[in-house]
Amino acid sequence: MKRGFSRLLAALTISLLVMVLVAGCGGQKKESAPSEGKKAEGKEPIKFGVIVPLSGSQAILGEEMERGAKIAVKQVNDAGGIMGRPVELVIRDTKANPDTGVAVARELLSQGINMYFGVASSAVALAVSPLMEKEKGVIITTAAHSDRLTHQNFNKHYFRITDNPYMRERAMAKLMAERYPNTTKWGCIIPDHEYGRSTWDNFEAGLKKYYPEIAKKELEIVSVQRAPYGATDYKNFITAVLNSKAKGVFTSEYGGDAVTMFRQAVPYAFFDKIDVMVDSANEFLVPKAMGNMTPPHWIGTHWYYEAYKDSPMAKKVYDEYVKEYKDKYPTGWVGEAHSALMAYKAAIEKAKATDTDAVIKALEGLTFDSVSGKRTIRAEDHQTIKDVNIIHVVPVKEEPGWKVDEFKVYKGDDLIEPPSPGKPLKLE
Amino acid sequence: MFRQLITKNFILLRLATAAIIIVLALSLPLWANPGITFRASLVLIYILFAASFNQLFNYTGLISFGQAAYFATGAYVAALYVKSGASLSGGIILAVIAGGLVAAFLGYISLRASGIYFAILTLALGQIVYQVIFKWPATGGENGLADIPRGTINLGLAQISLASPVSYYYLILICVSLGLFILWAVTHSNFGRILMSIKQNHVRASFLGINVRLYQLISFAIAGSIAGLAGAVYGPLTGVLMPEMATWIYSTTPILLTLMGGANFFWGPATGAVIFGIFEYLTRAMTGMSSLIMGLLLLTVVLAFPGGILGLVTSWLIGKPSIKKSSRNEGSAAASKLMPGGDVINE
Amino acid sequence: METLFLPLVNGLTWAMMVFLVASGLSLVFGVLKILNFAHGGFFMLGVYLTYTFIRNHALSPLKFFLIVFLCGIILAIIGAILERLIIRRFYQLDEAYMLIATYALLLVIEGSVEGIWGLQFLALPSPKGLGGGTEIFNTIIPSYSLVIIAAGVAVAVLLNLLINRSPAGKIIRAAAGDPDMTSALGINVPIIYTMIFAFGIFLAAIGGGIGAPNQAITPTMASSFIIQAFGVVVVGGLGNIGGAFLAAIILGLVDSFGTIYLPQIPGIAFYAAMALILLVKPHGLFESSISTK
């Protein structure tokens, strides 16, 4: 009986694996086939490597990027491809792990694919970026916010299509000075590592610049709470902020940690006791999780579709997303992955070539149309100058329990730091 | 008939297999593309990492759930040394020493306990190593280290650049072969035989005047330095290190590879690493199901072929079950018969 | 006052959360001699299943805990089936194989949760009337923290009564201590094993349901809780539920005060305390109370 069972289990597992393998390969073929491109058929396709985290704790970012990329490819192919050639995506899972990221990138590089986009974690980006330099590839990241990528560790083969923390935090600080001039006591709950500290440093620098300038008020930082990364209990930090009488609170906790922090703050009536809460990192993740428990707060986002209602491109991406994924709230990562392909399209059409050197040259200083209006890629450090979107969410009675009641758009040119590739970022 | 033929020529068969593997390993970068060469380099590192675990598990009778901490120690020491502008050869030697020293220190603490308590202590101490790497500015903290150069290796007369994936593959091949040779020599030495006698019955061993803890500690330190060696060549391969490498989740990797390949065999961890590497390559286009598939695969191996792949192959070739008997119930065979599930696997 | 009282309550809340996971873990180890990685997976399944029934409705406490109980029963049945099909094949395995087999099961559960519920983070509302704060000693304490603490203490007391004071407890202790003899006395040991395993899963599942309003619900939450529960079970002495209770409190308070007074090294306090206790008492604070060997 025992042997029989073991064999049965083995047979089951093996057949499952075979099924999955077949499905995996089949699915790959299907997804990379050009979608009924009318004019684009018959020519050799242009291939892009999409390397995103699709398992592990960052999978939720990777999934949204993959969706944005697929929508972009469908639209490009429907409109005749790039220079008459159809576009194909080869999607790979980085597992948010640098060695897997390098392994999949190397594999695709050796198949002759030279253009890449995606990547959520800075560690993966820091591993893949020098590889691109060495192996003559080019990558546009759609998250990965460590400032080292465009400063100390910069190389010509790396591009960032998104806004960076410097721009976003400054925009949010400016908004606070404009809208809450009387909120002069500020505090924060941030993850205790470089990303957390640098977002706060940028935000604090912004507050110190804009409060005297715009609100004509002196500013006081009353509580800086650094929570250990991956903490399961934020109550001690929450009470510390409350006791400090801070009226404005900033957070860059992210993912599940942010949801835990927001959730645990509810019983303290935390959000009733402060004037304003600012989340710089989580797009729609917190409201989507919290539903009708969502407190009113401001969220920094890469792309908010309503802000670009008049743009046909934004509307098409939004409609396609809603239709395809049955979800009315695409996060900014959808827009960033879409924009990465749009940048490639514009660059290839400008250069009339797809080889790495020509594409890099064309990308530098390129201005192109994206779901959030015109974007310009700065030639010096390959950081994109683009709008920063900030949204305000409030709880409502009807499903899903929250809505966006206001948004603000800040132009990137006024906010961005001066380029200093090769040198560390300096805060004023 | 067929089996008899194999049994008769078993040594010949093994020699032929060894020859094929050596030729394949040596020639791989010449016919494979850089993507596969990179994956093969990773597999080689995992072979050594897993073998260092099996030195403890099968040849000393200790379960370490903190092996990744020594791997990470070696990796960080070598990477920091190379980043300071020095050569990788020095970094490798330092990594071996550092892995051994940290393992000796933490092993000294862990060895106060035994069995599952020992395993959990190695896990806890490994997590402390992780926290130290995570918080320490010198290690780059939570961002890890990036841009780790490979540099050159000094061979007296000639300086060989390691920048190309091919030359670096051969460096890894040499280091891994060396590490495996050391482990092989240890397990086949007098020292190794004493370790095995401790594993089988540590009470008897201590009656015979053997300092059980000292022997276990030396074995733990050796395993730590070999894990450090594997870590040392890992950093420059990917160019990036992150503190998560030291966590218990990463410590499960060598365990999985070892059990999959067959813990009772010296070449078991290697077999597991190679098979797993091939499996990962074949499933690379599948996205988002890795934990489910990994779990099912592992469950199948542990339940259906507890001797691992090599156990399965051996029993198929020579018709002799080579499945390890549970040592847990050794004391009371009768009890295990009465345990639910009834029959003992190899009886 | 506040600086001492608040971390005390927070530490105790954390401790009881972990104890709810650890109690089943310790019970199953005491009887079946299995240290079950997958236990964290069942804790997570308890969270997700409870969420599926409740979603964003703030229910009355009675309804809420009834649903949690029901989810516990459902998962206990699944646990019993799993025990008969798979887990009992682990009993004859060597310790390392057993750890790995249950770890494999944890991976399978994690993969399934991702497949069924998706990657989205979730949050569960507290039962009506328990979502706010209560003022004690001029300090606001989340009411639900008190619920978690009470639940932990209740589980500890009930388990103690069940094992040490009830006829069923006698049989459990007998089966744990000497399965051969118990079997010779005409008691069906395999059935007892199935029931104990299912009961352990029940404890994990209700622990998940009770704790769900206290944190984010993510498909990766199992791993973090299982390691803390392992620590608690081992420090308390494998198989000793009272020991696990005490260990949870010690480690919970160390962790809570650690984050306040040693903010430079967050996260280390827990592991350092664990290693320190095991250094002094290599086999935990107490011997197993279930199987007295």
Side-chain angles (χ1 to χ4, degrees):
Chain A
M1 186 249 157
K2 159 88 197 170
R3 291 232 135 214
F5 178 81
S6 292
R7 284 210 184 128
L8 185 71
L9 183 77
L12 268 176
T13 310
I14 289 165
S15 47
L16 185 91
L17 286 177
V18 170
M19 257 161 56
V20 165
L21 267 178
V22 170
C25 296
Q28 188 198 356
K29 257 181 216 133
K30 217 170 98 194
E31 111 209 347
S32 55
S35 62
E36 314 99 43
K38 288 148 216 156
K39 289 170 257 173
E41 250 171 288
K43 289 202 182 167
E44 207 204 328
I46 301 177
K47 286 188 188 176
F48 293 92
V50 180
I51 46 181
V52 284
L54 292 164
S55 44
S57 58
Q58 293 185 347
I60 191 156
L61 279 71
E63 188 181 60
E64 289 281 273
M65 293 174 185
E66 186 187 12
R67 290 172 172 182
K70 283 182 171 169
I71 291 171
V73 163
K74 186 168 182 292
Q75 292 177 349
V76 167
N77 282 338
D78 285 349
I82 300 177
M83 294 196 309
R85 287 168 67 185
V87 172
E88 255 185 60
L89 296 181
V90 185
I91 298 167
R92 289 288 183 271
D93 183 2
T94 64
K95 299 178 184 166
N97 187 338
D99 70 21
T100 315
V102 170
V104 293
R106 277 215 179 263
E107 176 219 334
L108 300 184
L109 279 162
S110 60
Q111 288 171 16
I113 296 177
N114 67 326
M115 291 174 283
Y116 296 83
F117 62 99
V119 180
S121 101
S122 292
V124 175
L126 284 164
V128 171
S129 162
L131 174 70
M132 291 297 153
E133 185 181 24
K134 217 176 295 164
E135 301 296 329
K136 302 273 166 286
V138 52
I139 186 156
I140 300 179
T141 60
T142 52
H145 292 143
S146 169
D147 51 49
R148 291 193 287 174
L149 286 158
T150 47
H151 292 272
Q152 296 98 303
N153 295 66
F154 173 75
N155 80 65
K156 286 246 156 210
H157 297 249
Y158 170 82
F159 291 83
R160 181 189 284 133
I161 203 76
T162 66
D163 44 326
N164 62 24
Y166 187 95
M167 300 159 71
R168 178 181 289 182
E169 286 7 307
R170 227 147 263 258
M172 297 189 89
K174 193 173 178 194
L175 174 66
M176 292 305 115
E178 288 167 4
R179 292 293 298 274
Y180 303 90
N182 298 322
T183 305
T184 52
K185 287 189 177 186
W186 277 84
C188 69
I189 301 177
I190 53 171
D192 190 13
H193 53 50
E194 192 205 272
Y195 170 76
R197 285 190 297 270
S198 91
T199 48
W200 168 248
D201 290 347
N202 278 307
F203 186 74
E204 190 188 354
L207 291 178
K208 287 188 169 151
K209 177 173 158 49
Y210 294 117
Y211 264 85
E213 239 178 70
I214 298 170
K216 313 274 184 240
K217 293 256 169 72
E218 274 316 302
L219 185 87
E220 208 184 329
I221 304 296
V222 289
S223 179
V224 176
Q225 297 300 319
R226 299 191 188 95
Y229 172 66
T232 48
D233 205 306
Y234 290 86
K235 299 189 197 90
N236 290 333
F237 308 109
I238 291 163
T239 10
V241 169
L242 279 182
N243 290 344
S244 74
K245 305 273 182 274
K247 288 292 168 191
V249 181
F250 170 91
T251 187
S252 54
E253 294 288 344
Y254 53 85
D257 291 358
V259 178
T260 299
M261 198 270 282
F262 271 84
R263 181 68 191 86
Q264 291 181 345
V266 172
Y268 291 94
F270 183 84
F271 304 102
D272 302 334
K273 291 175 186 162
I274 59 175
D275 298 343
V276 57
M277 176 81 198
V278 176
D279 166 11
S280 94
N282 296 294
E283 303 279 342
F284 284 129
L285 298 187
V286 171
K288 275 182 176 177
M290 299 274 288
N292 54 14
M293 290 180 287
T294 306
H297 65 291
W298 291 94
I299 306 171
T301 168
H302 289 305
W303 169 58
Y304 179 58
Y305 38 89
E306 285 288 319
Y308 303 94
K309 262 200 305 229
D310 304 333
S311 145
M313 188 190 275
K315 194 174 171 342
K316 259 179 87 182
V317 172
Y318 179 75
D319 291 344
E320 181 71 28
Y321 182 91
V322 175
K323 191 181 116 207
E324 193 69 27
Y325 303 109
K326 318 270 176 277
D327 171 18
K328 283 194 286 188
Y329 305 96
T331 60
W333 297 300
V334 174
E336 300 311 285
H338 184 274
S339 302
L341 193 71
M342 290 303 124
Y344 273 128
K345 179 172 186 286
I348 292 168
E349 282 167 355
K350 181 171 148 196
K352 302 206 169 31
T354 58
D355 65 283
T356 303
D357 289 338
V359 171
I360 290 177
K361 230 181 125 215
L363 281 171
E364 287 180 337
L366 177 79
T367 301
F368 66 100
D369 274 319
S370 76
V371 286
S372 59
K374 291 239 182 285
R375 297 189 189 198
T376 301
I377 300 175
R378 201 151 67 169
E380 294 91 337
D381 63 352
H382 297 183
Q383 167 64 45
T384 300
I385 304 171
K386 63 168 283 256
D387 293 354
V388 174
N389 295 178
I390 305 171
I391 55 176
H392 191 249
V393 292
V394 285
V396 290
K397 284 240 156 31
E398 54 278 10
E399 288 291 309
W402 56 276
K403 68 167 191 185
V404 178
D405 68 341
E406 202 187 339
F407 60 82
K408 288 284 282 182
V409 175
Y410 285 91
K411 292 281 163 221
D413 339 34
D414 314 332
L415 301 163
I416 198 163
E417 82 271 25
S420 64
K423 293 194 199 85
L425 172 69
K426 270 210 200 92
L427 293 175
E428 298 144 26
Chain B
M1 179 58 198
F2 178 62
R3 278 190 172 157
Q4 271 177 356
L5 207 67
I6 287 174
T7 318
K8 257 190 194 160
N9 300 308
F10 196 55
I11 293 178
L12 215 63
L13 187 80
R14 287 180 69 155
L15 280 177
T17 316
I20 292 171
I21 289 171
I22 290 171
V23 169
L24 274 179
L26 280 174
S27 68
L28 186 124
L30 306 178
W31 47 264
N33 67 38
I36 292 179
T37 306
F38 178 81
R39 280 180 187 272
S41 307
L42 271 184
V43 166
L44 283 173
I45 291 172
Y46 278 119
I47 287 177
L48 193 59
F49 187 21
S52 83
F53 166 78
N54 208 26
Q55 158 70 23
L56 293 174
F57 181 59
N58 191 44
Y59 298 101
T60 317
L62 296 170
I63 316 164
S64 167
F65 257 87
Q67 211 58 11
Y70 314 120
F71 181 85
T73 303
Y76 269 93
V77 166
L80 287 170
Y81 187 71
V82 179
K83 267 181 92 83
S84 73
S87 84
L88 182 57
S89 35
I92 291 174
I93 293 167
L94 279 180
V96 170
I97 296 170
L101 280 180
V102 174
F105 177 63
L106 299 184
Y108 179 79
I109 299 173
S110 311
L111 278 166
R112 288 180 53 88
S114 57
I116 287 188
Y117 290 93
F118 172 83
I120 299 292
L121 253 181
T122 56
L123 189 155
L125 295 171
Q127 289 298 100
I128 293 179
V129 171
Y130 157 65
Q131 292 286 355
V132 169
I133 296 175
F134 191 90
K135 292 298 292 181
W136 200 9
T139 57
E142 80 288 350
N143 281 316
L145 293 174
D147 268 350
I148 301 163
R150 289 176 188 169
T152 54
I153 220 147
N154 199 340
L155 291 179
L157 291 174
Q159 288 264 346
I160 298 174
S161 163
L162 297 168
S164 88
V166 176
S167 60
Y168 199 72
Y169 170 85
Y170 285 115
L171 175 86
I172 292 177
L173 187 62
I174 292 167
C175 289
V176 169
S177 309
L178 196 71
L180 285 177
F181 175 74
I182 293 170
L183 288 179
W184 190 86
V186 167
T187 51
H188 289 77
S189 69
N190 239 342
F191 176 75
R193 274 186 283 277
I194 293 173
L195 286 179
M196 279 304 262
S197 76
I198 291 174
K199 180 195 171 192
Q200 273 148 14
N201 191 334
H202 64 94
V203 181
R204 190 172 56 202
S206 63
F207 277 146
L208 290 173
I210 296 167
N211 186 341
V212 170
R213 269 189 73 192
L214 182 67
Y215 273 85
Q216 288 176 328
L217 185 61
I218 294 174
S219 175
F220 199 82
I222 292 173
S225 59
I226 296 294
L229 172 62
V233 287
Y234 174 89
L237 176 68
T238 54
V240 169
L241 291 179
M242 35 174 215
E244 283 76 22
M245 283 172 41
T247 58
W248 70 272
I249 303 262
Y250 277 72
S251 290
T252 58
T253 309
I255 309 180
L256 309 186
L257 300 178
T258 301
L259 297 192
M260 202 184 292
N264 286 347
F265 303 87
F266 183 81
W267 295 104
T271 311
V274 171
I275 299 284
F276 185 67
I278 294 172
F279 177 76
E280 270 219 313
Y281 181 72
L282 291 178
T283 55
R284 70 196 181 284
M286 281 167 30
T287 48
M289 295 191 47
S290 50
S291 59
L292 188 65
I293 295 168
M294 191 62 220
L296 283 175
L297 190 72
L298 205 64
L299 212 52
T300 309
V301 169
V302 175
L303 288 179
F305 343 106
I309 294 158
L310 280 189
L312 188 73
V313 171
T314 321
S315 67
W316 179 70
L317 284 181
I318 53 179
K320 191 177 76 181
S322 59
I323 294 162
K324 188 172 149 204
K325 191 183 161 183
S326 160
S327 63
R328 207 153 65 101
N329 296 319
E330 245 165 58
S332 56
S336 56
K337 282 211 178 85
L338 284 168
M339 291 286 259
D343 38 5
V344 175
I345 306 170
N346 55 344
E347 278 177 346
Chain C
M1 191 69 222
E2 193 168 66
T3 48
L4 282 180
F5 185 61
L6 193 75
L8 180 76
V9 175
N10 289 342
L12 284 179
T13 314
W14 182 93
M16 291 304 106
M17 270 308 300
V18 175
F19 173 70
L20 287 172
V21 184
S23 59
L25 200 61
S26 198
L27 176 70
V28 168
F29 184 87
V31 182
L32 277 64
K33 308 287 179 285
I34 278 199
L35 194 52
N36 186 8
F37 260 113
H39 204 78
F42 287 103
F43 165 81
M44 178 165 74
L45 283 174
V47 173
Y48 271 93
L49 202 60
T50 307
Y51 172 82
T52 308
F53 285 116
I54 297 179
R55 297 204 174 258
N56 55 8
H57 306 292
L59 302 177
S60 69
L62 183 70
K63 268 191 193 157
F64 182 92
F65 291 111
L66 211 62
I67 287 176
V68 169
F69 186 81
L70 192 76
C71 293
I73 299 286
I74 295 173
L75 285 171
I77 293 169
I78 294 175
I81 296 169
L82 260 181
E83 196 273 346
R84 297 207 80 105
L85 283 178
I86 296 181
I87 306 286
R88 61 177 44 188
R89 276 148 232 285
F90 297 174
Y91 298 150
Q92 57 229 349
L93 296 176
D94 195 84
E95 271 169 3
Y97 286 84
M98 178 190 79
L99 275 173
I100 287 303
T102 58
Y103 178 68
L105 201 58
L106 174 64
L107 289 178
V108 172
I109 293 175
E110 282 186 332
S112 313
V113 166
E114 260 182 40
I116 297 171
W117 283 280
L119 298 164
Q120 198 64 55
F121 302 130
L122 305 168
L124 192 70
S126 313
K128 263 186 205 141
L130 297 173
T134 312
E135 209 173 298
I136 307 173
F137 298 132
N138 292 326
T139 312
I140 296 176
I141 303 295
S143 312
Y144 204 75
S145 288
L146 303 176
V147 172
I148 291 174
I149 295 173
V153 173
V155 167
V157 170
L158 289 176
L159 271 180
N160 183 38
L161 288 179
L162 174 76
I163 289 166
N164 296 324
R165 301 285 154 83
S166 76
K170 249 182 213 162
I171 300 174
I172 294 170
R173 276 176 290 149
D178 193 339
D180 305 358
M181 197 47 122
T182 317
S183 179
L185 288 173
I187 289 166
N188 191 337
V189 174
I191 294 240
I192 296 203
Y193 280 18
T194 309
M195 286 167 66
I196 289 293
F197 188 80
F199 186 57
I201 298 306
F202 172 79
L203 288 173
I206 62 164
I210 292 171
N214 189 46
Q215 74 250 313
I217 303 172
T218 75
T220 49
M221 69 192 295
S223 319
S224 59
F225 267 92
I226 192 65
I227 286 303
Q228 290 166 342
F230 266 22
V232 160
V233 167
V234 168
V235 166
L238 281 167
N240 190 314
I241 294 168
F245 184 72
L246 196 67
I249 292 176
I250 294 173
L251 292 176
L253 293 182
V254 164
D255 194 62
S256 182
F257 282 97
T259 43
I260 291 190
Y261 294 105
L262 294 168
Q264 313 84 288
I265 45 165
I268 290 190
F270 172 77
Y271 292 107
M274 190 173 143
L276 205 70
I277 293 174
L278 289 182
L279 251 180
V280 181
K281 306 232 10 160
H283 293 273
L285 294 170
F286 303 98
E287 287 286 303
S288 173
S289 65
I290 302 174
S291 59
T292 36
K293 269 195 182 171

